[in-house]
């Protein structure tokens, strides 16, 4: 018997579907980690072919090139590459002639990686803990954890983006969660304004950026899968890790 998540809507929709249509030749099921790399590709203008894969019902070819079954994934010169942050840096290195999304100097590149690590180790786990928390006390604790993570992050944002005027991989990496935090606002008492430190304005700026909107699917399809997270029934690797107290893979 398959897991319930196999039946989530199988294709990109709305503006995201239009972007997919531009990258078809002869479609990875949508998630925030996928959107990270999708935004990076669109920002840089790298030619690519988009393939959709249901991460809960993986096809044989996908598993053949990517045994871990992680999404997003890229097939490049016969090799499978995966992990959204790794892919985004790969795009920088493999396509140097395209728009850069990392600063030029090594100090700022190091700072970018420090705050990408902050997102991975504090912000995203807190977001998912709040999403799946069932008891009010657990929700309150997770909400405060999320706020504190965002306050620390925002103290580093130079405005309008992380490094000032330039939109970089640091902004790319957190942008997909600004598209999805409405789920927390509607169900978990989260308010952008309660974070302070300019988070509300920064989040709105990211969510309204053209490349973010072009890779955004309809909420009605996001709501199906996030409903399972809200009931703590989701079977994604991220959901399993949060339940077990492990690092999100």
């Amino acid at each position: 018997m398959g897991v319930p998540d196999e039946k989530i809507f199988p294709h990109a929709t709305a503006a995201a579907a239009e972007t997919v249509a531009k990258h078809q030749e002869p479609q990875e099921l949508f998630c925030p980690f996928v959107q990270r790399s999708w935004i990076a590709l669109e920002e840089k203008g790298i030619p690519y072919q988009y393939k959709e894969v249901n991460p809960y019902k993986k096809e044989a070819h996908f598993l053949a090139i990517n045994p871990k079954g992680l999404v997003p994934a890229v097939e490049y010169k016969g090799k499978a590459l995966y992990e959204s942050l790794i892919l985004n840096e790969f795009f920088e290195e493999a396509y140097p002639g395209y728009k850069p999304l990392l600063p030029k100097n090594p100090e700022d590149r190091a700072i970018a990686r420090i705050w990408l690590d902050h997102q991975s180790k504090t912000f995203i786990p807190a977001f998912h803990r709040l999403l799946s928390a069932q008891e009010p006390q657990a929700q309150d604790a997770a909400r405060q954890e999320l706020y504190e993570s965002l306050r620390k992050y925002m103290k580093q944002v130079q405005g309008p983006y992380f490094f000032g005027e330039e939109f970089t991989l640091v902004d790319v990496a957190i942008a997909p969660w600004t598209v999805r935090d409405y789920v927390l606002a509607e169900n978990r008492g989260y308010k952008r304004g309660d974070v302070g430190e300019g988070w509300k304005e920064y989040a709105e700026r990211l969510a309204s950026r053209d490349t973010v909107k072009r890779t955004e699917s309809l909420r009605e399809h996001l709501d199906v899968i996030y409903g399972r997270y809200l009931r703590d029934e989701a079977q994604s690797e991220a959901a399993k890790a949060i339940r077990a107290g492990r690092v999100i893979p």
Side-chain angles (χ1 to χ4, degrees):
M1 180 181 294
V3 297
D5 295 346
E6 288 181 6
K7 295 182 172 60
I8 56 179
F9 195 79
H11 304 297
T13 54
E18 296 176 11
T19 302
V20 168
K22 296 176 183 177
H23 296 276
Q24 293 296 299
E25 288 290 328
Q27 266 193 85
E28 163 160 36
L29 190 72
F30 194 68
C31 80
F33 299 100
V34 172
Q35 192 179 12
R36 276 176 161 178
S37 293
W38 203 2
I39 292 168
L41 285 168
E42 287 292 308
E43 284 284 341
K44 293 183 73 65
I46 297 171
Y48 65 91
Q49 181 182 358
Y50 179 96
K51 291 282 188 178
E52 290 198 351
V53 175
N54 186 326
Y56 306 102
K57 193 176 182 180
K58 303 176 181 74
E59 298 172 359
H61 174 71
F62 180 72
L63 290 174
I65 64 167
N66 180 8
K68 287 190 174 182
L70 296 174
V71 293
V74 168
E75 187 175 5
Y76 181 80
K77 296 183 178 179
K79 295 182 179 180
L81 309 174
Y82 40 86
E83 299 285 1
S84 59
L85 297 182
I86 292 172
L87 285 176
N88 287 1
E89 290 213 34
F90 165 75
F91 300 150
E92 290 293 293
E93 295 175 1
Y95 297 90
Y98 290 79
K99 173 186 173 181
L101 291 176
L102 279 175
K104 291 182 179 179
N105 71 68
E107 305 97 298
D108 282 344
R109 284 178 175 246
I111 290 170
R113 293 180 178 111
I114 287 169
W115 291 97
L116 286 168
D117 187 65
H118 174 84
Q119 291 180 26
S120 296
K121 291 181 178 176
T122 69
F123 166 68
I124 294 173
F127 187 103
H128 280 269
R129 273 193 281 273
L130 179 55
L131 188 63
S132 60
Q134 300 300 297
E135 301 300 325
Q137 186 174 358
Q139 292 176 11
D140 291 344
R143 189 184 313 109
Q144 292 309 312
E145 180 187 3
L146 178 63
Y147 286 171
E148 184 58 28
S149 172
L150 287 171
R151 287 167 186 149
K152 288 180 180 178
Y153 176 81
M154 288 306 301
K155 288 182 186 299
Q156 306 300 317
V157 175
Q158 299 173 26
Y161 298 112
F162 187 86
F163 280 107
E165 295 296 329
E166 297 299 318
F167 185 77
T168 68
L169 290 184
V170 186
D171 307 296
V172 169
I174 204 169
W177 280 267
T178 67
V179 174
R180 293 160 174 76
D181 66 358
Y182 76 91
V183 178
L184 300 182
E186 293 176 0
N187 298 278
R188 292 292 187 261
Y190 159 88
K191 297 178 181 178
R192 286 178 177 176
D194 287 351
V195 175
E197 304 291 344
W199 167 250
K200 182 175 183 291
E201 294 76 14
Y202 175 73
E204 289 172 352
R205 192 173 301 117
L206 295 184
S208 64
R209 190 170 176 89
D210 181 56
T211 52
V212 177
K213 295 184 73 66
R214 286 207 310 268
T215 55
E216 181 182 353
S217 287
L218 292 171
R219 283 189 179 186
E220 65 188 79
H221 300 307
L222 294 179
D223 288 345
V224 174
I225 187 63
Y226 281 110
R228 296 196 178 100
Y229 279 92
L230 289 167
R231 298 188 299 273
D232 199 23
E233 297 172 354
Q235 297 301 313
S236 70
E237 295 304 314
K240 292 175 184 176
I242 290 297
R243 285 192 203 101
R246 294 185 280 104
V247 174
I248 295 176

